[in-house]
Amino acid sequence: MDKTITDPAAAIADIAHGASLAVGGFGLCGIPETLIEALESAGVGDLDVVSNNCGVDDWGLGRLLSAGRIRRVTASYVGENKEFARQYLAGELEVELTPQGSLAERLRAGGCGIPAFYTPAGLGTPVADGSMPLRYSADGSVGVHAPAKEVRAFQGRDYILEHAITTDYALVHAAIGDRHGNLVFHASAGNFNALCAMAGKITVAEVERLVEPGEIPADQVHVPGVFVQRVVPVAATVKRIEKLTVRQPIPA
């Protein structure tokens, strides 16, 4: 039952070329930076990544992207990452854009064993009708369109079919974890971490504070250990701000 692995490199050592990953975080909030760094050092590539976005150019998943390690991204937006936009528009990266709520539910459904669900989000837009570019060609034309989604009416209203997401691995970050894999997130840093933890077949959680089983009250557990296979204690991580905005000094 002790799922602790002290070395981040050992915790991700079996992630192979071409693996699919669900990665927690929102922007730079709650990202598993230590595990991403270990993955970058391991030299693994051709990755199929599911995450809300891809960090920034030099931090988070942006580090793997800049190194050419990511083949495909399923995300809700391009965000502040200029390299992400460049690779997508240049035909170097396959991108499946999906509404944020639909992405969250696809991950949750995958963790719950629900294969698909119907939602009104995206109906009547390129998300649903097959016109969304999945990959561009080098000349700027659309190389591959995302497939059109099935539409079905319920009680007189149309909905589109979204398929659940499961991945080979999930990388998540938690404030507290115990040796059994029970996790607690801090405030908004929980974001997509819980959902990614559920969707991964093998979930690796980096935790800022490792405690013994029983120290986390049962009603305070955000992700139960059944979803987590490896727990990696990490030192205090650098918590960067995606867009730092401060008040300008008032002239004397």
Side-chain angles (χ1 to χ4, degrees):
M1 290 294 291
D2 189 346
K3 301 175 181 178
T4 309
I5 299 177
T6 57
D7 180 10
I12 57 89
D14 58 343
I15 297 180
H17 197 72
S20 58
L21 307 173
V23 182
F26 187 108
L28 299 182
C29 178
I31 62 172
E33 179 57 36
T34 301
L35 295 175
I36 292 171
E37 183 179 0
L39 197 60
E40 181 185 23
S41 298
V44 181
D46 196 38
L47 297 170
D48 181 348
V49 173
V50 180
S51 191
N52 180 65
N53 63 302
C54 223
V56 296
D57 289 300
D58 63 343
W59 202 251
L61 286 171
R63 296 169 61 166
L64 295 177
L65 193 69
S66 296
R69 306 284 181 77
I70 299 177
R71 173 184 57 83
R72 188 181 196 276
V73 176
T74 301
S76 71
Y77 74 111
V78 174
E80 303 300 322
N81 194 318
K82 294 179 181 178
E83 178 62 12
F84 188 158
R86 188 201 67 76
Q87 289 190 22
Y88 177 42
L89 295 175
E92 300 171 12
L93 181 70
E94 189 171 293
V95 178
E96 180 186 359
L97 291 171
T98 187
Q100 198 165 77
S102 298
L103 179 61
E105 183 62 10
R106 290 176 70 188
L107 289 162
R108 190 198 71 86
C112 293
I114 300 169
F117 58 92
Y118 286 94
T119 174
L123 180 70
T125 74
V127 168
D129 64 16
S131 63
M132 178 74 75
L134 194 63
R135 178 183 285 276
Y136 284 95
S137 300
D139 62 3
S141 62
V142 177
V144 181
H145 285 100
K149 300 182 188 296
E150 177 187 328
V151 178
R152 183 172 174 183
F154 294 90
Q155 298 178 338
R157 185 178 181 184
D158 286 342
Y159 297 80
I160 62 173
L161 182 69
E162 290 281 8
H163 291 269
I165 293 173
T166 56
T167 56
D168 299 325
Y169 295 86
L171 307 180
V172 301
H173 178 96
I176 305 170
D178 67 21
R179 297 182 184 277
H180 290 177
N182 298 300
L183 304 178
V184 176
F185 306 110
H186 176 66
S188 62
N191 50 62
F192 276 80
N193 277 297
L195 302 166
C196 289
M198 295 173 65
K201 296 175 184 176
I202 296 176
T203 293
V204 186
E206 62 175 57
V207 301
E208 295 182 30
R209 181 157 70 93
L210 179 67
V211 300
E212 296 302 318
E215 288 190 49
I216 303 174
D219 62 347
Q220 294 180 21
V221 171
H222 293 149
V223 171
V226 68
F227 288 113
V228 179
Q229 284 67 48
R230 301 169 192 170
V231 177
V232 184
V234 297
T237 56
V238 177
K239 295 179 171 62
R240 286 182 47 176
I241 297 173
E242 192 169 354
K243 236 181 196 183
L244 181 62
T245 303
V246 295
R247 187 176 64 181
Q248 297 299 315
I250 299 175

